[in-house]
Amino acid sequence: MTSKFNLENKVAIVTGGSRGIGKAISLGLAEAGADVVPVSRTKAAVDEVCNLIENLGRRTLSITTDVSDESSVKFMIEKVIKTFDKIDILINGAGISPILKSAEKTSLEEWNQIINTNLTGVFICSNEVGKIMIDKNVSGTIINIASVGGKVGLLRQAAYCAAKGGVIQLTKVLALDWVKYGIRVNAIAPGYVKTDLTAGVMNSEKIYNDLISKTPMSRFGEPEEITGAAIYLASDEASYVTGEVITVDGGYTVW
Ligand code: NDP
């Protein structure tokens, strides 16, 4: 690793940091030298990742938050600032995909649940962290975990794709709004990755085989295969990159 990928003295918050892709990114950032606060709604899972971060010799803080709840996010960020006095990196990784239903069978309640977490949650966390970066004059960086579903349509995932498409557009607008503060905002669009979120599709042989047949690399990714893009975007190596979406999908969106 060259010195420009070094994240020493940086403080990172990773939403959705307790499991799957967010956990892998939390540990990757810590390995690259950052102090990392992984957050989610489940204390025991957050504690576990905090222990792993401490084992890597980095500082951390165990705190829960619901990204769709503005007051919960504000409380979490206050605690991070009390402990670390700044935030350099925000990874918006928290996300859900609880339903696989054709649009006409999707209720408004189901739609709102997904939009509130996957899109509004990104807006709330980015805004609250962005304001602090601006106040403290920190040229920080925000990385949103979007999805290939933000770029192409995925069957029976209207709300998920609408939210992720929204995340990609939000990434571009935040990049424009905050370039004057030296804040870079980018996104990563993963393809299918082996996590709890995809356990349902992996358990259905028919759906799984169909997805594999549509992926040139003929496999799902591992959570750790998303980490490199996050470290790159968080580091000084990406100093001229903003408003960009890096796709990490085994070729899913190539054909
Ligand atoms: P997981 O289900 O493994 O992890 C999701 C994480 O988000 C957990 O830490 C969960 O913790 C947290 N989370 C969910 N809702 C909230 C909330 N309201 N507030 C705070 N934290 C929350 O999913 P993945 O790792 O697979 O997904 C991570 C991100 O990557 C998501 O944004 C997802 O959409 C995206 N993605 C995933 C792909 C995949 O194939 N796996 C493909 C493309 C994108 P808890 O439940 O304890 O709150």
Side-chain angles (χ1 to χ4, degrees), residues 3 9 22 58 77 89-90 111 120 132 140 158 186 190 199 244:
S3 62
N9 301 317
R58 307 299 165 205
I77 289 170
I89 300 162
L90 168 68
W111 169 274
T120 310
I132 284 174
N186 292 289
E244 185 54 82

Side-chain angles (χ1 to χ4, degrees), residues 123-165:
F123 173 74
I124 293 172
C125 294
S126 300
N127 245 8
E128 292 309 317
V129 170
K131 283 188 268 187
I132 284 174
M133 287 176 174
I134 293 165
D135 279 355
K136 292 191 173 280
N137 209 11
V138 168
S139 297
T141 179
I142 297 175
I143 299 159
N144 298 323
I145 308 303
S147 165
V148 291
K151 302 176 71 181
V152 299
L154 304 178
L155 264 176
R156 299 187 295 275
Q157 296 202 62
Y160 186 83
C161 290
K164 294 298 186 179

Side-chain angles (χ1 to χ4, degrees), residues 19 21 41 93-101 106 110-119 145-150 154-164 191-193 195-202 207 211 220:
R19 284 191 275 123
I21 291 171
R41 297 165 299 180
I96 55 170
S97 182
I99 59 159
L100 207 54
K101 282 185 188 173
T106 302
E110 289 166 331
W111 169 274
N112 284 336
Q113 185 195 2
I114 294 169
I115 297 289
N116 287 345
T117 300
N118 293 8
L119 178 56
I145 308 303
S147 165
V148 291
L154 304 178
L155 264 176
R156 299 187 295 275
Q157 296 202 62
Y160 186 83
C161 290
K164 294 298 186 179
Y192 285 89
V193 177
T195 67
D196 293 348
L197 187 124
T198 51
V201 292
M202 281 191 287
I207 299 176
L211 292 173
F220 277 24

Side-chain angles (χ1 to χ4, degrees), residues 149-204:
K151 302 176 71 181
V152 299
L154 304 178
L155 264 176
R156 299 187 295 275
Q157 296 202 62
Y160 186 83
C161 290
K164 294 298 186 179
V167 167
I168 288 176
Q169 283 301 97
L170 179 60
T171 300
K172 293 178 185 177
V173 177
L174 292 180
L176 292 175
D177 281 352
W178 293 346
V179 72
K180 58 178 178 279
Y181 302 113
I183 299 170
R184 295 184 298 103
V185 187
N186 292 289
I188 299 171
Y192 285 89
V193 177
K194 290 181 205 163
T195 67
D196 293 348
L197 187 124
T198 51
V201 292
M202 281 191 287
N203 287 337
S204 159

